[in-house]
Every structure is written in structure tokens, then in C-alpha cells.
Amino acid sequence: GDSVTQMEGPVTLSEEAFLTINCTYTATGYPSLFWYVQYPGEGLQLLLKATKADDKGSNKGFEATYRKETTSFHLEKGSVQVSDSAVYFCALSNRGPSKLTFGTGTRLQVTL
Amino acid sequence: DAGVIQSPRHEVTEMGQEVTLRCKPISGHNSLFWYRQTMMRGLELLIYFNNNVPIDDSGMPEDRFSAKMPNASFSTLKIQPSEPRDSAVYFCASSQDRVDNQPQHFGDGTRLSIL
């Protein structure tokens, strides 16, 4: 079946540091890939998505590129802020009803 | 635009009591999902509906859990009787499936504590 593997957290960075959160997937066919973010006390929010190979999703300074050859969708940001502290979830969806397969989430803590 | 609305936001009750969680999806969305989130098990899909019909309930932990979607604008998740191990944050999400690969939109969750 489909699965998503994320790097374990927590990830602790200083403000303005470069961020990478690794995500790899296993799926049949051509899934769409998503990053969701969960701030404390809130539900998950869509951060960005990519629907086909080599697509780059971007939002709020975050980027991720759909790499079919390496089955990866790593999340990056050039300069993190304290307000980026949250839990980040990688997810995939295959064709049909938008049932998502989530990774386990990676907690990011950004300090001054 | 109104997002997914869940109620109550917090629920504290004693074991053995019936608990009902409510969800109003985004208008026009035709898929609805119930999730449970705990520190130990992460985010788990319990059940999802498409056009008000349950499609996959394989994630429902046991017969104490039941979910209904009587119409396109309302769903409930019921636990009867509740147990302390049911304590978790329960999320409802909805999506529009008439176009492929639309994202899910989550509510803010119900934090459930069973004493």
C-alpha cells in the first residue's frame, strides 16, 4: 500500500537558518504530494502541493519539488522564523477520492 | 469563507459516558473525513464519507465508535461507552472531489479527555 516516511523530529534551528525536512514516499501510479502544517492548538493547514513529477510547490517561502526518480518531496525554506515553529506533515493522494496518506509529522522549533 | 466547523472544542467526561462530536464541512465539499491524533499513534484516519455515504471505516477502532452523515452539511462521531484510552484530539476534514487531488481542509479539532 501507499506510505510516506518523514525524518524524525524534533528539528531545532536558530532564526534565519536553512530548513530541510525530508520526505519520501511509496505509491502506485502517479500520486499528488502535499505538505501540511499544524500550529499549536489548531488543525492541519495545507502549506503547498505538487501534482506531477518535477512540479515545485511553494508558499510562504517554503518550497518542495516532486522528484519521481527519488520518490521524494523534501520541504525547504531558506530562512526560518520563530513563527514557523509547528509540526509539518508530508502526505500523498492517489487518483480518486482525496484520501490522504500522512507521514508521522516532524516538529520544528525555531529559536531566537 | 467559513472553514470546517467542529464542536465542542473541548470535552471532558467520565468513562462510560456517551460522547458526540460534531462537524460541519465546507459548503460544496462532498467528502468528509474523521481523524484521531495522539502522541503515541500520530494522525489516524477513522472513517471517510463521499456524498454522505461511508466509503472506508476500516480505521474505526471498535464497535464503540460510530459515525453518521445524515446530510451534506453535518456529521457526527459518537463514542459509547467512552474509555480513558479514547482521549485524543479528533479532527474533521472536508474536500471537494469533483476535481482530482483537491486538498483536505481541517477543522480546529475537538480535544477529548475521558477521566
Side-chain angles (χ1 to χ4, degrees), chain A residues 32 36 38 44 95 98-99, chain B residues 56 95 97 100-101 104:
Chain A
S32 290
Y36 281 80
Q38 184 180 27
L44 280 69
R95 287 198 166 270
S98 57
K99 182 180 173 183
Chain B
D56 182 355
S95 68
D97 280 325
D100 280 342
N101 301 314
Q104 292 181 18

Side-chain angles (χ1 to χ4, degrees), chain A:
Chain A
D2 298 343
S3 67
V4 175
T5 302
Q6 287 182 237
M7 63 187 289
E8 294 231 356
V11 174
T12 302
L13 295 173
S14 299
E15 200 170 44
E16 299 184 1
F18 184 85
L19 169 71
T20 300
I21 299 178
N22 290 338
C23 170
T24 57
Y25 67 91
T26 302
T28 57
Y30 303 92
S32 290
L33 302 174
F34 304 84
W35 277 101
Y36 281 80
V37 58
Q38 184 180 27
Y39 299 103
E42 298 183 12
L44 280 69
Q45 304 173 22
L46 178 67
L47 181 59
L48 54 84
K49 71 175 185 179
T51 58
K52 61 183 187 297
D54 299 325
D55 268 2
K56 178 186 284 187
S58 61
N59 186 25
K60 300 180 181 179
F62 291 89
E63 293 183 340
T65 301
Y66 189 151
R67 301 286 188 200
K68 189 164 177 61
E69 64 275 16
T70 54
T71 62
S72 65
F73 192 54
H74 304 321
L75 182 68
E76 297 182 335
K77 186 174 186 182
S79 176
V80 293
Q81 306 299 311
V82 171
S83 57
D84 294 326
S85 298
V87 181
Y88 292 82
F89 292 87
C90 185
L92 70 82
S93 170
N94 260 316
R95 287 198 166 270
S98 57
K99 182 180 173 183
L100 290 170
T101 300
F102 283 96
T104 54
T106 302
R107 182 175 299 278
L108 170 65
Q109 181 72 43
V110 181
T111 59
L112 292 172

